[in-house]
Amino acid sequence: MIKNDLFLRALKGETVERPPVWMMRQAGRYLPEFMEIKKKYDFFTRCQTPELASEITVQPIRRYGMDAAILFSDILVIPQAMNIEVEMKPNFGPYLPHPIRSQKDLDSVIVPDVNDALDYVMQAIKATKEKLGNEVPLIGFAGSPWTILCYCVQGQGSKTFDKAKELCFTQPFVAHELLQKITDTTIAYLKAKVKAGVNAVQVFDSWGGMLSPVDYQEFSWQYIQQIIDALKDEAPVIVFGKGCWFALGDMAKSGASALGVDWTCSAHNARYLSGGNITLQGNFDPARLLSPPAEIKKMVTQMINAFGKDKYIVNLGHGILPNVPVENAKAFIDAVKGYSP
């Protein structure tokens, strides 16, 4: 079906001629063609208009020829669908004017019919699949329930997510009910995405590393495990927990097809902690894309050699930064495509 199936083969752990490559947040803010669209339409208009979302998704594929596309969307479309207001403020980021901090606040939060509330995402998938023409696989994604809770309770981004943690530690019943509602919505959402045509899904636990290993099990991992259990027979699931090296052992036994690794965990440690049998994805420091292209090429080759070419997907250790020069992103992709062991 798909002409370049390198990414899907790596997810299955098959032997490949070179590892596949894509970049988290590749559809977006570092590309001049994206900035042209950004000037005309606000953030959620771009997410909610299938024609725009699909165009933004394929822009990096046209320019660089990565081995997988990732749908342009946002993790906060889930709380929006759950009756929680979310704004995207320029030069500020997400802002939720009515954070969830009590049982009363939680009572107005719904588990929606995702096919209705998030139909625009499914339409964007169909439009994107058409534009991709089976050249490369398409990845759909969602935030982890804990990461979504962080925004829903804090009301905005944070260095500590202290209010989110306070809710978990002082009103655990409310936190767990909210986490379960988010989990149920996310499972339905990802299943609908697979039905609409995505070839794999990724769960982003961007704020998992905010929790201690014990609290991570209680407030994050058990909910991600529910998502994996519900999805793994329908599509490969990649789990990326930023700062969650301590959980790689549990993650490796979860039924996920691959685990994302951030740049603070070496290839050696990631292979050791995950037991050495699961496909790993990562872990180039996004800021390292600001290095000269020749340096990037050298570091990418070293990174592939450290992880090994099989059971490995080349990626960044978090999303690409907006100030990365386009030729540096090209150097990263080209270094992988030109790799020979």
Side-chain angles (χ1 to χ4, degrees):
M1 274 293 285
I2 291 180
K3 291 169 197 161
N4 173 357
D5 65 348
L6 201 56
F7 170 73
L8 298 175
R9 284 164 54 208
L11 283 175
K12 288 182 190 147
E14 292 176 11
T15 302
V16 289
E17 48 281 15
R18 66 163 175 87
V21 59
W22 67 281
M23 296 188 292
M24 289 188 273
R25 289 214 169 145
Q26 67 188 19
R29 53 210 180 150
Y30 66 108
L31 290 174
E33 52 268 47
F34 171 81
M35 297 311 285
E36 288 304 308
I37 294 177
K38 188 183 175 194
K39 279 181 206 160
K40 295 183 202 157
Y41 306 97
D42 72 57
F43 183 78
F44 281 116
T45 301
R46 298 194 299 272
C47 289
Q48 290 163 4
T49 310
E51 187 45 47
L52 294 175
S54 61
E55 173 57 28
I56 293 165
T57 302
V58 299
Q59 283 177 344
I61 308 300
R62 280 193 206 120
R63 187 185 267 270
Y64 302 114
M66 290 91 167
D67 297 304
I70 183 162
L71 188 74
F72 176 75
S73 185
D74 194 79
I75 63 170
L76 297 178
V77 301
I78 288 259
Q80 279 182 329
M82 296 175 70
N83 202 27
I84 301 169
E85 192 184 341
V86 182
E87 300 167 19
M88 196 59 78
K89 289 191 170 181
N91 308 316
F92 178 80
Y95 178 68
L96 291 75
H98 310 292
I100 310 300
R101 296 196 182 149
S102 67
Q103 185 66 50
K104 187 172 173 293
D105 296 334
L106 183 59
D107 290 341
S108 62
V109 176
I110 61 164
V111 174
D113 174 351
V114 293
N115 292 305
D116 178 39
L118 294 162
D119 179 61
Y120 63 85
V121 178
M122 310 315 149
Q123 297 309 320
I125 290 168
K126 286 167 187 163
T128 304
K129 292 291 283 187
E130 216 159 282
K131 286 189 170 119
L132 289 172
N134 283 332
E135 285 298 327
V136 293
L138 178 61
I139 304 164
F141 69 89
S144 73
W146 158 254
T147 290
I148 301 293
L149 173 140
C150 281
Y151 289 106
C152 292
V153 177
Q154 198 78 22
Q156 62 188 70
S158 166
K159 283 194 166 67
T160 59
F161 286 103
D162 54 331
K163 292 184 170 67
K165 290 172 98 168
E166 183 185 356
L167 179 83
C168 290
F169 304 155
T170 60
Q171 302 178 72
F173 290 108
V174 175
H176 283 298
E177 193 182 327
L178 176 56
L179 285 163
Q180 193 58 56
K181 283 184 175 185
I182 297 167
T183 303
D184 295 345
T185 305
T186 303
I187 288 170
Y189 176 57
L190 290 175
K191 284 190 166 196
K193 277 183 156 176
V194 173
K195 203 172 167 190
V198 301
N199 304 98
V201 296
Q202 175 156 318
V203 178
F204 283 86
D205 197 6
S206 305
W207 306 124
M210 295 274 170
L211 293 166
S212 73
V214 172
D215 291 331
Y216 186 74
Q217 289 295 332
E218 182 178 351
F219 295 104
S220 185
W221 181 250
Q222 64 164 317
Y223 295 99
I224 294 175
Q225 184 67 64
Q226 285 184 43
I227 295 168
I228 298 167
D229 290 343
L231 265 295
K232 67 182 180 189
D233 293 334
E234 298 186 20
V237 182
I238 305 168
V239 176
F240 171 63
K242 186 167 182 289
C244 301
W245 58 268
F246 55 80
L248 284 171
D250 288 326
M251 289 177 172
K253 301 183 192 100
S254 66
S257 292
L259 307 177
V261 184
D262 69 47
W263 68 93
T264 63
C265 185
S266 69
H268 173 81
N269 284 347
R271 285 282 182 216
Y272 173 74
L273 293 166
S274 63
N277 287 320
I278 193 166
T279 297
L280 297 178
Q281 175 179 279
N283 69 338
F284 203 77
D285 180 349
R288 267 292 178 185
L289 289 180
L290 300 168
S291 301
E295 183 79 5
I296 293 169
K297 182 173 194 256
K298 194 173 96 186
M299 292 179 73
V300 167
T301 305
Q302 288 168 344
M303 179 172 77
I304 298 171
N305 289 339
F307 276 99
K309 76 170 173 68
D310 294 324
K311 293 187 180 171
Y312 179 48
I313 296 160
V314 180
N315 207 318
L316 306 175
H318 205 218
I320 189 169
L321 302 167
N323 55 332
V324 167
V326 288
E327 59 273 18
N328 292 28
K330 184 179 190 305
F332 179 79
I333 302 298
D334 288 352
V336 185
K337 290 167 97 172
Y339 177 80
S340 54

